[in-house]
Amino acid sequence: METLFNGFTLALSPGAFPLSTDSMVLADFVRLRPNVGVLDLGSGCGTLGLLLCAKNESCTVTGIELDPEAHAMALENAARNGIDRRLGSICADLRLLPSEIVPGSFSCCVSNPPYFSGGFASAAHPLARQEQTCTLRDVFAAASKSLRFGGDFFLVHKPERLTDLLCTLRAHRLEPKRIRLVRHHAGADANLVLIAARRGGKPGVMLEPELLLFTPDGQE
């Protein structure tokens, strides 16, 4: 059991992807409008949804998750935290959006997608780390289809794939608007990149100040 902020707790199903820095920094990076409906693509046990609901008391989050055990745990997490009316999960393949997801019905979409298109498969979390069941194109196509014009898409990924990310976003009518690099400490190579894109947005992107996870004395 993981303890989040504002008294929220997160339980993980056996073998599920653990609570990570990726989800924490993405939740902090997301900007939510009042009473916004959020779609979480590849939602796992509901980690990102819980973080967003803890951050914003008026938002609702719908997750799409392929793994039945993670989906069930997301529903359990929502019920245990008393937000089952705000946090839901649909067990489905995001490549084939279920009928519950009406095209163009969401103002906000978030995703912490698989990072690697090749290489050695992760023994512990192959589906979460490798693009075995969904590629960047699959995730971005689902986001573009689900978002209304002017809707926002937030994601976290690896900076070495930044060119792929920006080109694929634009190809799906998702215009990058904000980019922020994440480093463990000053002078270290960037290990994550946060991107905000807008469905049908005009060209023009802002590079935000980098996020340092640790101070020079090692404090978070």
Side-chain angles (χ1 to χ4, degrees):
M1 185 77 69
E2 300 278 358
T3 301
L4 309 179
F5 50 90
N6 289 340
F8 281 55
T9 58
L10 167 71
L12 300 170
S13 57
F17 196 76
L19 177 64
S20 65
T21 300
D22 313 45
S23 295
M24 300 291 286
V25 298
L26 178 56
D28 181 68
F29 180 71
V30 170
R31 294 178 181 173
L32 295 178
R33 303 168 190 173
N35 303 304
V36 68
V38 182
L39 179 64
D40 183 3
L41 296 171
S43 51
C45 296
T47 303
L48 191 52
L50 283 169
L51 290 168
L52 294 178
C53 286
K55 172 184 176 180
N56 185 304
E57 295 183 355
S58 69
C59 75
T60 59
V61 182
T62 301
I64 296 180
E65 174 53 42
L66 184 63
D67 180 65
E69 291 186 1
H71 157 72
M73 186 58 69
L75 296 178
E76 183 177 318
N77 279 320
R80 187 182 59 261
N81 287 282
I83 56 169
D84 44 310
R85 293 187 178 182
R86 295 178 54 209
L87 176 61
S89 180
I90 301 171
C91 191
D93 190 332
L94 62 81
R95 295 171 294 184
L96 302 169
L97 286 177
S99 58
E100 296 96 322
I101 305 301
V102 178
S105 61
F106 284 87
S107 297
C108 180
C109 184
V110 296
S111 186
N112 181 359
Y115 289 157
F116 306 108
S117 59
F120 294 104
S122 167
H125 311 287
L127 297 185
R129 293 187 181 276
Q130 268 82 22
E131 294 181 350
Q132 294 186 13
T133 58
C134 66
T135 65
L136 282 182
R137 290 183 178 85
D138 295 327
V139 175
F140 295 175
S144 182
K145 184 176 181 180
S146 305
L147 286 171
R148 60 173 55 104
F149 187 86
D152 296 316
F153 179 38
F154 302 92
L155 71 145
V156 59
H157 216 282
K158 286 294 185 182
E160 54 263 37
R161 297 196 67 189
L162 184 56
T163 301
D164 291 339
L165 292 164
L166 298 181
C167 291
T168 309
L169 282 168
R170 179 168 278 183
H172 288 88
R173 303 180 299 282
L174 298 165
E175 188 65 27
K177 304 302 294 180
R178 298 165 49 215
I179 298 176
R180 190 174 196 186
L181 293 174
V182 181
R183 305 178 193 272
H184 282 102
H185 54 80
D189 291 337
N191 64 309
L192 294 171
V193 61
L194 298 160
I195 301 176
R198 182 157 297 155
R199 174 77 162 81
K202 295 181 180 179
V205 62
M206 179 174 65
L207 299 177
E208 297 188 343
E210 63 186 18
L211 172 63
L212 301 180
L213 298 178
F214 299 96
T215 63
D217 60 0
Q219 298 296 313
E220 294 187 23

